[in-house]
Amino acid sequence: MSPKLSQVCFHKSETGSSPSPPRALYQRSSKFFIVLTVAFSIFTDIFLYGVIVPVIPFALHHRIGIPPERVQAWTSILLATFGGALLVCSVFSGWLCDRIHLRKWPFLGALLIQGAATLMLCLATSTAALLTARILQGASGGVVWTVSLTIMTDKVESAGLGQALGYVAIARSLGVVMGPLLGGVLYERTGYYSVFALSFVFLAIDGVFRLSFIEARTASKWLATKNTEDLAETTTKKEPNKPVRRGSSISEASPFRRYAHRVHRRLPPVITLLADLRLDVALWGSFLQAVFMSGFDATIPIFVSRTFGWNSLAAGLIFLALVVPTCISPIIGWLSDKHGPRWYTAAGYLLSAIPLILLRLVDHDSTQQKVLLGALLALLGAFGTLFEIPIWAEIFRCTEIWTMANPRQYSAGGAVGQAYGLSNFFYSLGFTVGPLLTGFTYEAAGWSNMVLVLGITSVVSTIPTVLCTGGYIWRRKTERVDGVSDGGVAGS
């Protein structure tokens, strides 16, 4: 790297070793550029995950020599391996994120691991190499999702977080669309290695973004007075008013309550956060969203190949129907910020059950059946957005309220990183369970029973969502925090 380029991308002032500000400080630390950097990192992570989804079944058979009858099982195992590694690394990366000043370092480290995993996938000629590569991909994904979202929440105020997350969701959706689509096209037309050539292009672009941005906490040391005041105003907006607590103080409480309070304070924050039922319901949403996504990743290519005789190109194209409708994500995020997440999330679960259950009707090869499959997947993608985006913002707001109510329990870095680490943990748990649940249910009980199970699960999820999301519904008239019921504190 040339001296000029290194000065632009990673100035000494970012580590505190130079008093002078880096070049283009305002632009590189702006909300627009940080959201763009975070969104592209999410896009790259999902693209690298999805680009080989339509390729895996064919590569397992033709490149590695797996018998056709074992391809579905190995496809599910590889997808579940990715989720397992994502699961293990998510909580640790959240803990680390809250305890280091420069979150850029693990962000860059994850990029290097992504590059190594992609190279290994490209050169793999055995199942052991494929499994190792997917483990590295999952590990880097745990860091990327946790660190990037924490970096973004440092810059974006709480009132606008849902809309910002909507743009991240669009990037995620583009990765979901472009990964399987371009993977299928390139593999079908130009061969195996071209799939990974494109992957390295996106990794290089992502590297430029990650090297160039400057974190909000770092930039605040050099921004002009006006910008410092803006940052203080943003911080004020992000801090909801503390709720009025009824009842006696801890010192006046019973001995049992005092003992429980002392135990609670000594537990790791990542554990005490799980005591918030409102947060638990949001984490369930992260889990379920991953089950749906990874479950269809594992089964749709096989299903359309068996039912319609489609190749990898067509299998990749069908994912367009599932993901394109998610372009409404920023609108859903804005509406959720304005009106609260409860009813949007509940409607998302309930409405998603309709296309899920109706997918049972797709059972033979005809033009009408292909159109029906595409239409139902499009509805599922649109309805899924209704609960996905509000849940992301809900996780941050629950944590924000919880840490304000228990300030002495958390470090100066707060617990946002650990909250997103928990979100990633449950999301990755869903990525582990999803392919296994849907893959083996599909093989044992058929497509119709598989989608029926997913539909019933979506309906049942509506109940805790109505009761807890946005604050406990039975307390919403008496406890309000910044327009949202204080379910998190009340649940402590």
Side-chain angles (χ1 to χ4, degrees):
M1 183 180 291
S2 67
K4 290 185 177 180
L5 183 59
S6 63
Q7 186 178 11
V8 171
C9 293
F10 212 100
H11 194 271
K12 288 182 179 180
S13 56
E14 292 190 53
T15 63
S17 59
S18 172
S20 61
R23 294 182 181 180
L25 171 65
Y26 181 79
Q27 291 78 11
R28 293 166 58 194
S29 63
S30 67
K31 181 164 67 175
F32 169 79
F33 192 72
I34 287 178
V35 172
L36 177 62
T37 300
V38 168
F40 197 86
S41 70
I42 297 296
F43 163 81
T44 302
D45 179 72
I46 295 298
F47 178 87
L48 296 177
Y49 160 81
V51 73
I52 65 169
V53 165
V55 176
I56 281 179
F58 304 94
L60 281 170
H61 176 58
H62 298 294
R63 184 177 174 85
I64 297 180
I66 300 296
E69 63 273 14
R70 297 291 299 161
V71 166
Q72 175 64 74
W74 271 105
T75 299
S76 297
I77 289 170
L78 286 171
L79 293 174
T81 300
F82 174 92
L86 189 66
L87 183 151
V88 171
C89 290
S90 294
V91 176
F92 172 75
S93 61
W95 175 85
L96 179 65
C97 193
D98 287 334
R99 280 162 174 75
I100 60 174
H101 178 70
L102 277 180
R103 291 164 174 160
K104 190 171 187 175
W105 288 114
F107 202 30
L108 289 171
L111 182 69
L112 296 176
I113 298 175
Q114 285 176 316
T118 303
L119 180 62
M120 187 174 291
L121 281 170
C122 178
L123 302 176
T125 55
S126 67
T127 53
L130 285 177
L131 286 169
T132 303
R134 289 305 256 182
I135 289 172
L136 290 176
Q137 272 194 329
S140 63
V143 178
V144 168
W145 278 83
T146 301
V147 175
S148 64
L149 293 179
T150 306
I151 288 171
M152 190 177 72
T153 53
D154 284 342
K155 185 67 179 180
V156 180
E157 65 276 7
S158 178
L161 185 59
Q163 188 174 13
L165 288 169
Y167 292 114
V168 173
I170 287 182
R172 191 282 317 275
S173 298
L174 286 175
V176 172
V177 170
M178 293 179 63
L181 174 60
L182 294 180
V185 170
L186 291 173
Y187 181 74
E188 188 72 21
R189 300 294 175 85
T190 58
Y192 183 79
Y193 291 106
S194 60
V195 174
F196 297 96
L198 181 62
S199 299
F200 285 115
V201 170
F202 283 124
L203 280 169
I205 298 172
D206 191 15
V208 173
F209 277 117
R210 296 196 203 191
L211 286 168
S212 299
F213 90 99
I214 300 174
E215 296 181 52
R217 55 173 60 185
T218 302
S220 63
K221 294 185 291 185
W222 293 283
L223 289 176
T225 303
K226 180 180 181 302
N227 291 331
T228 304
E229 291 172 355
D230 289 343
L231 184 62
E233 182 181 351
T234 297
T235 304
T236 302
K237 289 180 180 179
K238 290 179 70 173
E239 294 180 356
N241 297 323
K242 291 185 178 180
V244 176
R245 305 290 301 203
R246 293 178 173 85
S248 60
S249 66
I250 293 297
S251 60
E252 297 171 347
S254 65
F256 174 78
R257 286 192 61 193
R258 290 198 299 269
Y259 174 76
H261 181 71
R262 288 195 300 269
V263 172
H264 182 275
R265 286 181 54 190
R266 291 173 183 172
L267 290 173
V270 73
I271 301 299
T272 58
L273 286 172
L274 289 173
D276 182 5
L277 182 59
R278 175 181 169 185
L279 179 61
D280 294 339
V281 173
L283 294 174
W284 166 257
S286 293
F287 171 81
L288 193 61
Q289 176 69 17
V291 168
F292 289 167
M293 180 184 297
S294 63
F296 281 123
D297 282 346
T299 55
I300 283 180
I302 306 297
F303 174 74
V304 297
S305 177
R306 292 177 179 176
T307 306
F308 305 138
W310 286 357
N311 56 21
S312 62
L313 173 58
L317 286 171
I318 195 60
F319 283 95
L320 284 171
L322 182 63
V323 183
V324 166
T326 59
C327 64
I328 64 173
S329 295
I331 299 174
I332 299 300
W334 177 77
L335 290 171
S336 177
D337 288 337
K338 186 175 181 181
H339 302 119
R342 185 191 314 276
W343 300 113
Y344 291 104
T345 307
Y349 285 132
L350 197 59
L351 292 173
S352 293
I354 298 174
L356 279 170
I357 294 174
L358 290 179
L359 280 169
R360 304 181 76 209
L361 301 176
V362 182
D363 57 5
H364 63 275
D365 186 10
S366 71
T367 301
Q368 291 82 1
Q369 291 279 286
K370 294 171 184 175
V371 172
L372 178 62
L373 175 64
L376 291 175
L377 290 177
L379 287 174
L380 180 60
F383 294 150
T385 304
L386 289 173
F387 70 84
E388 179 186 21
I389 303 306
I391 279 172
W392 285 2
E394 174 79 347
I395 290 169
F396 170 74
R397 288 169 183 146
C398 288
T399 309
E400 188 178 48
I401 294 170
W402 187 271
T403 53
M404 289 187 65
N406 304 276
R408 290 186 294 178
Q409 187 174 352
Y410 302 98
S411 64
V416 174
Q418 291 170 87
Y420 280 128
L422 280 173
S423 176
N424 267 331
F425 177 87
F426 282 92
Y427 193 80
S428 56
L429 184 62
F431 255 104
T432 305
V433 173
L436 299 176
L437 172 68
T438 58
F440 290 106
T441 302
Y442 174 42
E443 290 295 331
W447 171 263
S448 61
N449 288 319
M450 184 200 83
V451 293
L452 179 62
V453 169
L454 296 179
I456 292 174
T457 304
S458 189
V459 171
V460 173
S461 299
T462 306
I463 300 172
T465 298
V466 171
L467 295 176
C468 300
T469 299
Y472 301 140
I473 195 168
W474 57 88
R475 293 175 177 170
R476 61 186 303 195
K477 292 183 179 180
T478 57
E479 294 183 3
R480 302 291 294 178
V481 177
D482 196 25
V484 180
S485 300
D486 182 17
V489 175
S492 60

